[in-house]
Amino acid sequence: MREQRDYYVYINTNKLHHVFYTGVTNNILNRNNQHRTKDNKISFTAKYKTNKLVWYETFNNIYDAISREKQIKGGSRKKKIALVNKFNPMWKDLTLDW
């Protein structure tokens, strides 16, 4: 039997909340650390300093997670802001409590 795995769709932003990055991962803490340390120096997240985790959803199926990621990426800035406001109205960096 296959081990149950969680997948995360997440939104990171920069310090002033001007830029959003939406991604999918199976290890949200490790992935956020990669964003913070700028593992890929030429990546979008390194260039725009989007290393503040402000929203995420958990999935048991990678295909559902990828579908949700695409839905969010295809949505407007206004919809992304609404997602964050509902889930995290203070726009706190969620990794600070982990």
Side-chain angles (χ1 to χ4, degrees):
M1 189 171 148
R2 223 171 91 198
E3 178 185 333
Q4 179 69 33
R5 176 169 258 174
D6 289 331
Y7 300 93
Y8 303 89
V9 177
Y10 63 94
I11 296 176
N12 278 11
T13 190
N14 63 347
K15 186 177 180 179
L16 299 175
H17 310 153
H18 290 158
V19 181
F20 296 107
Y21 174 81
T22 305
V24 64
T25 185
N26 65 354
N27 187 331
I28 199 165
L29 290 175
N30 184 54
R31 187 70 177 122
N32 195 264
N33 190 51
Q34 290 171 342
H35 291 312
R36 283 187 193 285
T37 59
K38 298 176 181 67
D39 278 4
N40 181 353
K41 305 289 185 220
I42 60 170
S43 69
F44 179 92
T45 58
K47 181 177 180 178
Y48 293 101
K49 299 179 177 106
T50 58
N51 56 17
K52 181 179 177 183
L53 177 69
V54 292
W55 176 91
Y56 69 93
E57 279 183 18
T58 308
F59 295 85
N60 299 121
N61 181 301
I62 186 61
Y63 301 108
D64 293 340
I66 291 169
S67 177
R68 180 67 167 140
E69 177 196 27
K70 288 179 180 180
Q71 179 187 34
I72 292 169
K73 282 184 173 183
S76 67
R77 176 181 178 81
K78 185 177 178 180
K79 286 183 180 181
K80 292 176 183 90
I81 290 170
L83 271 177
V84 176
N85 280 334
K86 185 174 182 181
F87 184 80
N88 182 6
M90 300 301 291
W91 289 66
K92 180 174 127 181
D93 185 345
L94 300 172
T95 62
L96 296 178
D97 291 339
W98 297 346

